[in-house]
């Protein structure tokens, strides 16, 4: 270990951007699409920006993705590129609201079928005739046919 301390980066961290940039030389615009070549099929596939930067794929900005041409004899497959961030739909918002309502319901629903509401078991918990033992958050349940 060095007595000088940790090594300092040659590039100041405020110059490194977390936004992925276009792979074209001298283009610094943000990437919006990913280009992948399928050599076996002689096809270039241009689709939405990949989740992770892949070594054999090219990230392109909007301008370069629109002007993309492939070598003669190759096909270009253009998949729909999202133009902006996905907005929550009304179904998503309704599902979220239902989940919040479900979580806010009283604990009587957690006692399950067969429990007698209002009857408290040991430790102040609802008594459940199906429950044999409890250890932390785990429960041992009696078989329904016994």
């Amino acid at each position: 270990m060095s007595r000088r301390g940790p090594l300092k980066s040659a590039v100041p961290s405020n110059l490194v951007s977390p936004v992925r940039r276009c792979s074209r030389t001298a283009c610094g615009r943000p990437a919006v699409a990913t280009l992948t070549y399928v050599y076996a099929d002689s096809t270039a596939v241009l689709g939405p920006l990949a989740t992770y930067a892949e070594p054999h794929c090219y990230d392109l900005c909007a301008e370069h993705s629109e002007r993309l041409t492939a070598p003669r004899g190759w096909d270009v497959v253009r998949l729909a590129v999202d133009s902006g961030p996905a907005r929550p739909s009304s179904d998503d918002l309704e599902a979220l609201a239902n989940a919040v309502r479900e979580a806010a319901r009283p604990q009587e629903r957690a006692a399950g079928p067969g429990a007698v509401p209002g009857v408290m078991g040991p430790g102040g918990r609802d008594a459940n005739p199906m429950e044999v033992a409890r250890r932390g958050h785990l429960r041992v349940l009696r078989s329904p046919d016994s």
Side-chain angles (χ1 to χ4, degrees), residues 20-144:
R20 289 184 14 215
R21 301 287 175 189
C22 183
S23 297
R24 296 291 303 259
T25 305
C27 181
R29 290 184 287 265
V32 297
T34 298
L35 172 65
T36 307
Y37 290 108
V38 182
Y39 294 99
D41 298 331
S42 299
T43 304
V45 180
L46 183 68
L49 188 63
T51 307
Y52 301 101
E54 297 289 334
H56 299 289
C57 296
Y58 302 92
D59 295 336
L60 300 176
C61 65
E63 182 181 335
H64 286 121
S65 63
E66 289 171 8
R67 295 185 356 207
L68 174 76
T69 59
R72 185 174 296 155
W74 281 55
D75 295 322
V76 176
V77 176
R78 294 179 186 269
L79 303 175
V81 177
D82 296 334
S83 59
R87 303 203 60 146
S89 70
S90 60
D91 290 341
D92 294 336
L93 296 175
E94 187 175 345
L96 179 60
N98 289 338
V100 170
R101 283 188 206 107
E102 181 71 23
R105 284 192 181 150
Q107 291 298 333
E108 289 177 353
R109 67 172 168 74
V116 180
V119 177
M120 300 302 261
R125 295 186 189 116
D126 284 3
N128 186 344
M130 295 298 289
E131 188 174 317
V132 175
R134 191 181 273 236
R135 184 174 204 162
H137 67 281
L138 302 174
R139 295 185 230 176
V140 177
L141 302 177
R142 184 176 298 122
S143 174

Side-chain angles (χ1 to χ4, degrees), residues 1-26:
M1 194 150 161
S2 173
R3 290 184 183 173
R4 290 189 232 162
L7 294 174
K8 300 210 186 237
S9 173
V11 178
S13 63
N14 60 354
L15 295 179
V16 178
S17 172
V19 175
R20 289 184 14 215
R21 301 287 175 189
C22 183
S23 297
R24 296 291 303 259
T25 305

